[in-house]
Amino acid sequence: MKVIANVDFSPQIPDIPQTSSSILIVDDEERIRAVYRQLLTAEGRRIEECGTGCEAQRRLDRRDVDVLILDLNLPDINGLEVMQWMVDEHVPTAVVVFSGDESIDSAIRALRHGAFEFIRKHGDPEELIDTVARVLRRRQIEREHALMTVRLEHSERLHRFLVERSPDIIYTLDRNGSFIFINGRVEALLGYTPAELLGKHYSVVVHPDDLEHARFAFNERRIGDRASTNVEVRLQTKTQGVRHFENRTIVTILSAQGLYAAEEGPDDLYFMGTSGVARDITDRKKAEETIAFQAFHDLLTGLPNRILFKDRLGVALTQAKRKGKRVGVMFIDIDRFKLVNDTYGHHEGDELLKCFAQRARSCLRSGDTLARQGGDEFTVLLPDLGAGEDAGVIAAKMLAELKRPFKIAGLDFFTTVSIGISLYPDNGKTPEVLLRNADIAMYQIKSQGKNGYLQYTPEMHSGHSMRITLESDLRNALKVGNQFELYYQPQIDFGQRRTIGMEALIRWHHPVHGLMTPDTFIPLAEETGLIVDLGEWVVDQALSQLASWRRKGFTGLQLAINLSPKEFEREDLPERLFQRVRAFAIPTAAVDIEITENLLMKDAEKNISMVKQLRNYGLRVSIDDFGTRYSSLNYLRRFPINSIKVDQSFVRDLNPLNHSSTSIIHAISCIARSFGLRILAEGVETEAQRQLLSELACNDMQGFLFSRPLPAAEFEHFLNAGGFPCCSQVPAC
């Protein structure tokens, strides 16, 4: 082997010019591509876009793209096929997969297809920015390396330089397995200088548990395709720490390095040793471990997710069956959690979930499993229970622990939980049945006032089945259309002794259960989404009845209709309401749309726009149950409403002997006057309440003192009776 001595190649290597970098964004959504372009735009970068895989292949075939930002789900061919094409065609572009696909398999396949990084679309945008910057830096280094290779490819000194600067450990062993050469990379990765390892056996750097596995690779004699490749071995650092490596014994270069020598002739070869390469894949292993962790754990709390919980529950049941033990399953729901999200925002809600997880875990035994099912729901696995009562003891301990307040937005917040318990084998023998029954028991304790625990009983299942049956009956009632009826409760201006309007309240004539009030089926309609169809029925019936009364001369009535927050999710709500009102030839000022106070805080900007549209059409808007939530006065100022209704809970507390009982209504009245709003008190049942409200300048009232909600015919009789005659005209907006 010839050696060129005393030749300095470094002056012959020119500086690498700083050229512009090319980035190609491949995503079928133009909006997403625009966002990526904005995130990645920087000086010296040229950014291009493609919407399909085929377009990307045509652009990549020019072989001048540095970084490919690739979505896996494309309309023609998927991202993995694009990556495989790049491998087959030897396209050198670095690939960063930025996908909305949450599947762990997709992430692992992308990495195995040569992706530099796999990033989820819903993650931190900074992660994409940092990854692209790292790729471009690596591309610059690769360009430098390539130019250096071209300039020095015929030099023995070049080869020595490349070996020493290689990112991998390159080594040669003698026939006894001792190092006769190892490059300087070993010092950066393992902490040994090359001199410390020369003459030492390879076992010095191999983890003891991997020695048998590594022996064949480090003593490899074969050459060609049969040689060892991609053997994963753990190597120890000088301080005995463990690093993971991909060990490649590249025997095809052994002859070039003289590892086989001819003793007497070319056909009589003498084995001299083994040469190989060890590449550090620690970061890749960590990435794979992270992806695997995310597949089976909740990222917010770090707890097992429902997949891992169900797997552990299955194992626990198998062991319990063999040992004759009991297994407990707890289903936990945090009470009033939505209040935290609606009032303080999702960040504080997330903090509450993490703090709750820590406290709940402290109440459990070492072998128990706490998992997050989603939202504010958690499950607990209690294996090896001696008696069924043991689960109740743990639940009681958890309730006691929650008596200490949580810190939410700097304030003390007290919360409770509802816990349902099911036991193996008493309440079920499969994971699905035990989880279902614990869930049923949890809803049972919620219906009984929350803040407690219950063990499942068969009677609960019948109640749960009844709820499912009631949902089916409600769907059928909406199809039939003749089981509902509207009742009307008068709204009185006591100062003028006149009826100024009425609130439309729905009743359900159930074929089995008889007359049902809204509180028995409206929550079910909200939960199932049937409230939208039910709301449309109410609007049509109420407007039809108002039109009939107007034809009879009752032109001064104002109709109040309650709308669910779910109805505000439909963009066409204002237009649909206006068209219905116009179809019945009713003045828009005669219709008062009542909305709940929590609508002020949920997607406020969108709902402000919706309310403005309602007002632009001339419809009136009121806030129902005012004061029972935690709305901001800033929202109240921005919502263009006409009036507020004082909740009956405040009216019920009015007491002529306790002047402080009027303070809240007095405050609400002052707020209404300052904003120029009408105020109406609901739930007025006694003359004493009526008198105190009049003294507070709140003359518009509604309640049993004047009338209960009445069917249409009886309400018309109420108007004709003369006690509180109808107004002569609708008040102006």
Side-chain angles (χ1 to χ4, degrees), residues 568 593-615 621-623 626 631-644 675-677:
F568 273 75
I593 303 301
E594 294 190 359
I595 61 177
T596 57
E597 190 177 3
N598 60 0
L599 194 70
L600 303 183
M601 297 174 287
K602 183 179 179 183
D603 201 357
E605 298 304 323
K606 173 188 173 184
N607 292 329
I608 288 173
S609 175
M610 297 276 276
V611 172
K612 284 182 178 178
Q613 292 180 56
L614 291 171
R615 295 289 293 116
V621 180
S622 300
I623 298 179
F626 185 80
S631 60
S632 164
L633 292 181
N634 181 51
Y635 285 150
L636 187 62
R637 175 182 61 83
R638 296 174 62 197
F639 269 79
I641 59 174
N642 299 92
S643 57
I644 55 179
F675 284 104
L677 304 175

Side-chain angles (χ1 to χ4, degrees), residues 526 531-532 562-569 573 594 596 599:
E526 291 269 10
I531 191 66
V532 175
N562 292 281
L563 289 187
S564 162
K566 281 195 172 293
E567 295 181 78
F568 273 75
E569 295 175 3
L573 173 66
E594 294 190 359
T596 57
L599 194 70

Side-chain angles (χ1 to χ4, degrees), residues 85-98:
W85 172 84
M86 293 173 66
V87 172
D88 296 340
E89 297 298 322
H90 305 290
V91 177
T93 300
V95 181
V96 176
V97 175
F98 197 64

Side-chain angles (χ1 to χ4, degrees), residues 383-400:
D384 297 326
L385 291 179
E389 295 77 13
D390 294 346
V393 172
I394 296 174
K397 182 180 178 182
M398 196 174 294
L399 292 173

